């Protein structure tokens, strides 16, 4: 059997703070321990995914900290460490491999100020950096994803999404974006969330998936019919 031809999507959209950057480490350090950091992050995610319309990101971070018993020093420490968010291994390599073939964009639940600072850490020229502040809504509302597609002038069928959270699957499925879930820390698929096209604890299999994206589009459509 011959190999599928190389056929990249026209654009690849990325979750930023979980799919490409290891924000878990910085949250845990700001909280003082992994267990408290995870509880803080979980509460923040609960607030974020429940509010829909944009509320200042920094406010949600503070509200989540108070809810789990953290002092105001923790959100301040998180922002102080923001420019030290480390890329996951393979993130820069993947972006550099895609750069000649695809338009690249970030779609992130963040303020514009912090989103642009975090996106710059990847050392890549982005075609769009869409934050929830800019879109006016938090993911998984479909509007942030659609805004990125509109900026890039790309149809959903011609684009892919690399998620860091299973909650992204609610939004990408509504927009029509095929999704690779970089499930680094082994989270459970949220109740009711659609299955991703592919799930992996690393980014190593993202490039082969994207290289045959257009070639497998018909097969994917058949699976969903």
């Amino acid at each position: 059997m011959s190999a599928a031809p190389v056929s990249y999507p026209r654009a690849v959209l990325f979750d930023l703070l979980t799919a490409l950057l290891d924000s878990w480490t910085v949250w845990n350090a700001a909280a003082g321990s992994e267990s408290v950091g995870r509880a803080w992050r979980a509460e923040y995610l609960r607030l974020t995914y429940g509010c829909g319309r944009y509320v200042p990101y920094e406010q949600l971070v503070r509200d989540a900290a108070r809810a789990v018993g953290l002092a105001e020093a923790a959100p301040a420490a998180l922002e102080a460490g923001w420019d030290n968010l480390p890329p996951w291994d393979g993130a820069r390599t993947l972006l550099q491999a895609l750069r000649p073939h695809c338009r690249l964009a970030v779609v992130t639940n963040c303020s514009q100020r912090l989103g642009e600072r975090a996106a710059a850490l990847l050392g890549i020229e982005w075609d769009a950096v869409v934050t929830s502040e800019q879109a006016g809504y938090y993911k998984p509302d479909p509007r942030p994803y659609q805004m990125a597609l509109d900026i890039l002038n790309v149809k959903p069928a011609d684009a892919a999404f690399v998620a860091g959270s299973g909650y992204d699957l609610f939004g990408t499925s509504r927009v029509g974006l095929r999704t690779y879930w970089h499930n680094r820390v082994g989270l459970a698929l949220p109740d009711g969330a659609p299955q991703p096209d592919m799930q992996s604890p690393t980014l190593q299999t993202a490039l082969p998936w994207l290289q045959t994206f257009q070639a497998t589009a018909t097969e994917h459509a058949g699976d969903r019919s």
Side-chain angles (χ1 to χ4, degrees):
M1 180 182 295
S2 60
V6 174
S7 52
Y8 293 91
R10 288 186 59 206
V12 185
L13 282 54
F14 291 87
D15 169 75
L16 177 61
L17 298 174
T18 311
L20 293 177
L21 296 174
D22 176 13
S23 57
W24 296 93
T25 298
V26 176
W27 279 71
N28 293 346
S33 72
E34 180 177 351
S35 60
V36 178
R38 290 240 179 169
W40 178 23
R41 184 73 175 273
E43 177 62 15
Y44 155 77
L45 291 173
R46 187 189 70 79
L47 294 174
T48 301
Y49 291 122
C51 69
R53 190 178 292 275
Y54 184 74
V55 173
Y57 172 82
E58 294 84 352
Q59 177 183 327
L60 293 183
V61 171
R62 290 193 300 269
D63 290 347
R66 282 194 294 269
V68 298
L70 283 169
E72 286 292 327
L78 177 63
E79 181 159 346
W82 199 258
D83 294 323
N84 298 316
L85 289 165
W88 291 117
D89 58 282
R92 288 196 177 110
T93 301
L94 174 62
L95 293 171
Q96 290 164 1
L98 293 173
R99 180 70 275 181
H101 307 286
C102 313
R103 306 195 75 188
L104 302 177
V106 158
V107 186
T108 182
N109 275 350
C110 195
S111 65
Q112 194 69 24
R113 176 179 64 92
L114 294 178
E116 290 179 357
R117 281 169 56 184
L121 298 174
L122 277 305
I124 198 78
E125 181 181 351
W126 296 101
D127 295 295
V129 175
V130 173
T131 66
S132 49
E133 180 178 15
Q134 181 185 6
Y137 289 85
Y138 280 101
K139 300 182 299 175
D141 187 282
R143 277 165 276 208
Y145 312 95
Q146 189 61 54
M147 176 176 279
L149 293 170
D150 291 345
I151 292 171
L152 301 178
N153 193 27
V154 173
K155 296 178 181 178
D158 294 325
F161 191 83
V162 177
S165 166
Y167 286 96
D168 267 311
L169 293 159
F170 290 107
T172 57
S173 63
R174 289 181 64 186
V175 176
L177 285 166
R178 294 170 59 190
T179 302
Y180 179 104
W181 183 13
H182 177 206
N183 188 7
R184 193 72 181 211
V185 297
L187 299 174
L189 186 72
D191 290 343
Q195 289 289 334
D197 274 46
M198 182 173 288
Q199 179 180 171
S200 174
T202 75
L203 289 166
Q204 291 180 351
T205 53
L207 185 60
W209 178 70
L210 291 163
Q211 286 175 326
T212 59
F213 185 85
Q214 298 291 0
T216 58
T218 302
E219 175 184 342
H220 174 79
D223 289 342
R224 292 176 64 89
S225 63

